[in-house]
């Protein structure tokens, strides 16, 4: 902790801390205990609340992230969140404009740093906690290592605390004190030749390009009867199914139906079905399986997140589908500890995600990414996902919790 000059001053779990009970770290405060004014910045800079209803403002955030956001360890790829994605991620139900915080150069008004929060309810085992989810922390490359990040974090904390919210969830590739859980990225090649050309997938020894293409070949048509794009009026059944499924896990969001509609059907506007089923600019793709009794038995979804390919003569972007919420009723009625439950679920997820891969491939995605969370370990290897170099650490602010490993709730019971 001695190295973490900033983080050692914050209410987060320390690396060597022994946890005896779960709960808040800081003593209880009220919003009146929190300063009304923003933290002072150097005189060259000023705070700005970013108005995301203005497309020019979203474009400014897009431009900042496009050139300065997260890169892989050898700077080959940089996340390229689209303006439409930022609108979706940041203007979630009940969002607060003052949690979208920019830092501008005082004279020129150029945006040079950003941090955001949205309100979420988190369930950590059996406790539901009103929280903020913090994301898109970004500082212009020319202003790095000047201790601006701690100021942005303290300012977002102040604004969140002013609303009487004292906990937050955030994820990062870097290791900070102290992850409550760590997942590994897995990647399933959909367009191996391109992944090879951009330097994402090296040719393994003893293999040829033709063999790799054959290895990752997928049928062109999905196999599950009743698999179709989700419609707005599916929300009741999808909501019940997802809540029942997520209930198995120790850390999960607690949604309302409106929130779930936002996360799964953003691109539909107010329509029941999207105007253009193959709209390439879509952010999120959600599919359900409806059986012959009109019962929705499965949900599978993914979102679009391209990366800029830096300095490659052949390609300038890589289009990744990221696994998003899913649920299956397979095995759900059985206690999780029963082997038949795992077998049923595994068999179902194998076909469900094979179909998801086919859908993503047909939509033109180059790779399908997933983490080692939920029930993913049941199918990742069999569906030819390969372990990546990247890890994603999950952090809780001002809440100590026993580590979450694998994510199943210990009792294995459904509430
Ligand atoms: S994760 C994505 C983060 N963004 C990027 O990786 C984009 C590219 N990089 C950058 O823009 C900069 O390098 C950043 C750091 C901004 C990351 N999370 O200003 P500095 C600590 C938290 O001199 P810079 C995401 O968005 C570092 O350990 N802390 O450094 C979730 C050191 O502290 P310490 C980080 O490189 C964000 C201090 O910053 C991160 O110029 C969640 C150095 O500051 C990181 N990813 O800027 C934020 N990286 O001395 C926390 C470095 O202690 C939210 N640091 O080691 C907490 C909850 C708040 C709300 C609470 C409400 C209740």
């Amino acid at each position: 902790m001695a190295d973490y000059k900033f983080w050692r001053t914050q209410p987060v779990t320390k690396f060597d801390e022994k946890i005896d009970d779960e709960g808040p770290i800081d003593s209880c405060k009220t919003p009146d205990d929190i300063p009304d004014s923003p933290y002072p910045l150097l005189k060259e800079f000023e705070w700005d609340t970013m108005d995301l209803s203005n497309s020019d403002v979203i474009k400014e955030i897009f431009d900042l992230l496009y050139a300065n956001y997260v890169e892989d360890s050898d700077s080959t790829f940089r996340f390229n969140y689209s303006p439409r994605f930022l609108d979706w991620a940041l203007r979630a139900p009940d969002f607060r404009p003052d949690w979208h915080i920019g830092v501008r150069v005082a004279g020129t008004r150029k945006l040079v740093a950003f941090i955001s929060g949205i309100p979420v309810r988190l369930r950590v085992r059996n406790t539901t906690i009103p929280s903020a989810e913090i994301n898109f922390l970004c500082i212009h490359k020319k202003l790095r290592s000047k201790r601006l990040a701690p100021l942005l974090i303290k300012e977002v904390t102040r604004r969140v605390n002013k609303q009487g919210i004292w906990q937050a969830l955030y994820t990062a590739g870097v290791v900070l004190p102290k992850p409550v859980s760590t997942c590994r990225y897995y990647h399933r090649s959909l367009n191996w030749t391109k992944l090879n050309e951009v330097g994402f997938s090296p040719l393994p020894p003893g293999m040829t390009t033709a063999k790799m293409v054959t290895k990752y070949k997928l049928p062109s048509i999905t196999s599950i009867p009743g698999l179709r794009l989700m419609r707005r009026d599916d929300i009741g059944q999808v909501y019940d199914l997802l809540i029942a499924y997520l209930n198995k896990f120790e850390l999960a969001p607690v949604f309302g139906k409106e929130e779930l509609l936002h996360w799964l059907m953003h691109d539909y506007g107010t329509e029941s079905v999207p105007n253009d089923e193959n709209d390439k600019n879509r952010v999120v793709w959600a599919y359900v399986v409806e059986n012959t009794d009109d019962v929705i038995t499965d949900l599978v979804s993914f979102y679009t997140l391209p990366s800029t390919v830096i300095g490659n003569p052949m390609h300038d972007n890589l289009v990744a589908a990221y696994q998003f919420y899913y649920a299956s009723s397979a095995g759900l009625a059985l206690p999780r500890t029963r082997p038949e439950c795992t077998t049923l679920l595994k068999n179902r997820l194998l076909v469900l995600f094979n179909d998801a891969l086919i859908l993503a491939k047909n939509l033109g995605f180059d790779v399908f990414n997933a983490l080692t969370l939920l029930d993913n370990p049941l199918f990742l290897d069999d569906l030819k996902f390969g372990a990546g170099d990247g890890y994603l650490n999950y952090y809780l602010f001002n809440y100590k919790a026993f580590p979450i490993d694998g994510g199943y709730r210990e009792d294995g019971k459904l509430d």
Side-chain angles (χ1 to χ4, degrees), residues 132-319:
E133 185 179 333
I134 308 298
N135 204 348
F136 301 112
L137 167 62
C138 184
I139 294 176
H140 194 286
K141 287 189 174 191
K142 292 205 170 127
L143 294 174
R144 295 279 167 86
S145 305
K146 295 183 189 305
R147 313 300 299 177
L148 194 51
L151 266 180
L152 283 156
I153 294 168
K154 285 198 284 192
E155 180 57 17
V156 76
T157 305
R158 187 188 71 79
R159 294 186 191 198
V160 171
N161 285 168
K162 269 291 179 201
Q163 300 308 313
I165 294 176
W166 310 96
Q167 273 75 38
L169 171 83
Y170 50 105
T171 58
V174 293
V175 176
L176 306 164
K178 183 198 175 181
V180 63
S181 194
T182 298
C183 294
R184 186 166 191 178
Y185 276 106
Y186 272 63
H187 312 279
R188 182 11 165 126
S189 172
L190 301 175
N191 182 351
W192 190 84
T193 311
K194 179 169 171 191
L195 294 183
N196 179 250
E197 285 164 358
V198 298
F200 188 83
S201 302
L203 185 66
M207 289 298 272
T208 61
T209 295
K211 278 188 190 162
M212 293 307 283
V213 170
T214 308
K215 174 175 174 188
Y216 291 115
K217 203 165 162 40
L218 286 161
S220 54
I221 298 170
T222 57
S223 68
I224 305 181
L227 177 70
R228 59 162 173 82
L229 268 175
M230 184 179 163
R231 295 193 303 253
R232 201 159 254 277
D233 56 4
D234 295 327
I235 191 66
Q237 288 200 58
V238 167
Y239 180 84
D240 292 345
L241 178 65
L242 183 62
I243 298 301
Y245 179 72
L246 290 179
N247 199 30
K248 296 196 301 184
F249 298 95
E250 293 182 307
L251 176 63
V254 179
F255 291 124
K257 277 191 191 145
E258 277 306 310
E259 252 176 310
L260 190 59
L261 267 177
H262 172 84
W263 290 123
L264 295 179
M265 315 210 65
H266 177 69
D267 301 277
Y268 290 37
T270 52
E271 303 299 314
S272 175
V273 288
N275 291 331
D276 174 4
E277 294 207 348
N278 296 317
D279 172 9
K280 290 280 184 272
N281 294 318
R282 263 176 75 170
V283 172
V284 58
W285 304 83
Y287 298 84
V288 294
V289 178
E290 184 180 22
N291 70 15
T292 45
D293 298 324
D294 304 333
V295 174
I296 290 178
T297 55
D298 309 80
L299 162 75
V300 63
S301 67
F302 47 87
Y303 59 79
T304 312
L305 172 49
S307 280
T308 305
V309 181
I310 304 167
N312 185 284
M314 295 175 78
H315 303 281
D316 55 11
N317 78 340
L318 185 70
V319 191

